[in-house]
Amino acid sequence: MKSTPPDGPRFISLEGLDGSGKTTQIDRIVDFCEQRNPRGVVVTREPGGTEVGERIRHILLEHGSLHPQTELLLLFAARVQHIKAVVAPALALGKTVVCDRYLDATYAYQGHGRGLGAPLIDGLSELLAVPPPDLTLFFDVPVSVALGRRAGRSADRIEAEGEAFFERVREGYQTRVRAQPERFVVISAAKSLAEVALAVDAALAARL
Ligand code: Z5A
């Protein structure tokens, strides 16, 4: 397991169910990181973050049939490009990287949600030398809250899954938190926007 760099966590991922509110908080997180790191902050996302990654994102989210293993390999294809072209160069320049979803999403959605299991994801991560984040903010909400926030929005291929799928995804995230508690901060994201913002501030102040 990677240890936190001496200048504090610089590779930060945001995770949670769709509708958990992580993207709503991202500007606040970036502002905070900018104050702490004069070398700058790169904001990015997965799947995506590069031209080819955004094209793969489109394939992943558009409707149609994809075998779960195909879905997994497309996510890793986008991830490798993202790490090589965006994440690793930014970290090498001393910047902070804030990534809206990363590797834990794969364990939660593909490992638990699709039932592919963790060993396959462990193996691909090791084979492809996928670096773990230094710090992960997990925006935890009950599935009913996440689905309620999304109501009325058109659903992409993954969002169109049923409640049981998202319950497995949430369990998948919680399993990751239990396995690596030192890397995660769990934010109770069912609270009001103001309360979630305060919890984010407290988490960042304690860790950065
Ligand atoms: N995916 C995967 O399967 N495997 C992987 O390895 C990776 C990803 C990396 C795209 O992710 C999909 O990729 C995702 C998992 C899969 N699919 N699903 N489901 P994404 O992160 O790009 O897409 P998203 O999850 O759909 O992001 P989002 O739409 O930006 O959702 P969010 O960031 O969790 O929530 P939000 O946009 O900040 O908030 C949602 C709504 O709630 C919005 O109207 C807010 O105003 C409202 N909100 C936010 N916070 C609150 C509070 N506290 N109270 C009340 N209302 C709130």
Side-chain angles (χ1 to χ4, degrees):
M1 188 180 304
K2 182 172 104 164
S3 58
T4 303
D7 50 349
R10 285 196 291 109
F11 184 14
I12 300 170
S13 62
L14 312 182
E15 297 283 2
L17 293 175
D18 174 48
S20 61
K22 58 189 168 42
T23 310
T24 302
Q25 299 294 336
I26 205 161
D27 289 346
R28 184 174 201 90
I29 294 164
V30 170
D31 285 350
F32 197 103
C33 293
E34 277 173 349
Q35 284 166 27
R36 295 294 160 116
N37 188 351
R39 292 187 174 156
V41 180
V42 170
V43 189
T44 185
R45 69 174 183 179
E46 287 203 354
T50 64
E51 194 189 331
V52 74
E54 293 295 330
R55 283 158 71 178
I56 293 173
R57 178 186 178 92
H58 186 69
I59 296 170
L60 283 163
L61 300 186
E62 75 186 359
H63 289 273
S65 172
L66 271 188
H67 190 278
Q69 290 177 345
T70 310
E71 183 176 281
L72 178 71
L73 293 173
L74 284 170
L75 281 158
F76 268 97
R79 178 161 297 144
V80 169
Q81 186 68 19
H82 186 222
I83 292 165
K84 306 283 182 205
V86 177
V87 177
L91 293 175
L93 289 172
K95 294 175 191 271
T96 297
V97 174
V98 177
C99 192
D100 193 345
R101 290 194 189 281
Y102 184 62
L103 185 57
D104 295 301
T106 313
Y107 283 93
Y109 282 80
Q110 283 66 48
H112 274 246
R114 300 287 191 219
L116 291 178
L120 179 58
I121 302 168
D122 289 341
L124 284 167
S125 299
E126 198 180 322
L127 186 73
L128 300 168
V130 170
D134 302 321
L135 172 66
T136 299
L137 304 188
F138 169 46
F139 290 79
D140 190 29
V141 283
V143 172
S144 56
V145 173
L147 293 179
R149 286 185 189 164
R150 266 179 23 199
R153 257 173 42 181
S154 64
D156 63 38
R157 192 181 60 86
I158 297 177
E159 288 169 344
E161 290 292 335
E163 201 168 327
F165 174 84
F166 292 108
E167 290 290 358
R168 291 197 298 277
V169 170
R170 187 179 184 211
E171 268 171 42
Y173 275 126
Q174 290 170 340
T175 302
R176 295 290 288 165
V177 173
R178 282 195 297 276
Q180 298 180 22
E182 67 294 338
R183 177 165 64 80
F184 282 94
V185 176
V186 180
I187 309 278
S188 296
K191 295 182 176 166
S192 71
L193 276 176
E195 286 172 304
V196 173
L198 280 179
V200 166
D201 287 352
L204 295 174
R207 296 295 193 107
L208 297 191

